[in-house]
């Protein structure tokens, strides 16, 4: 959820590109709006307010619910799995 993402961003240590991507569809194409360096919640919220989508990369690292799901998937299919979470206003 957006609240979970907000809490995690405010803990610090997330980086644009590695942990979070911000993008917007413009004229049928994707326009990335990532900042540089560490993610700041005020920037994320401002981008959300102007219609940008958020991609949390590998959210299983900080969400127990997602981690449990990915772990179950790996156990059932005997392979590595990962996830991304997308939020679009």
């Amino acid at each position: 959820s957006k609240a979970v993402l907000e809490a995690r961003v405010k803990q610090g240590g997330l980086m644009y590109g590695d942990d979070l991507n911000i993008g917007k569809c413009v004229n049928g194409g994707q326009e990335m709006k990532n900042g540089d360096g560490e993610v700041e919640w005020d920037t994320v919220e401002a981008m959300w307010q102007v219609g940008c989508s958020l991609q949390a990369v590998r959210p299983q690292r900080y969400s127990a619910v997602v981690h449990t799901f990915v772990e179950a998937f790996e156990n059932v299919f005997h392979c590595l799995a990962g996830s991304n979470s997308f939020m679009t206003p």
Side-chain angles (χ1 to χ4, degrees), residues 8-9 19 23 25 30 39 53 58 62 67 72-73 76 87:
R8 179 57 190 96
V9 168
D19 303 303
C25 288
Q30 183 181 28
V39 177
S53 295
R58 299 182 308 275
Y62 51 85
H67 181 270
F73 188 91
V76 168
M87 292 177 271

Side-chain angles (χ1 to χ4, degrees), residues 21-25 30-34 51-55:
N21 290 305
I22 301 174
K24 188 171 187 176
C25 288
Q30 183 181 28
E31 189 174 289
M32 298 308 294
K33 303 285 189 175
N34 286 349
C52 290
S53 295
L54 310 176
Q55 175 194 15

Side-chain angles (χ1 to χ4, degrees), residues 34-86:
N34 286 349
D36 292 319
E38 190 169 340
V39 177
E40 295 180 2
W41 181 252
D42 291 343
T43 302
V44 174
E45 181 62 28
M47 293 291 99
W48 176 264
Q49 293 301 321
V50 297
C52 290
S53 295
L54 310 176
Q55 175 194 15
V57 180
R58 299 182 308 275
Q60 68 269 23
R61 294 174 297 153
Y62 51 85
S63 169
V65 172
V66 178
H67 181 270
T68 299
F69 179 79
V70 170
E71 181 181 41
F73 188 91
E74 290 177 340
N75 288 335
V76 168
F77 293 102
H78 306 287
C79 66
L80 294 176
S83 66
N84 290 293
S85 176
F86 294 86

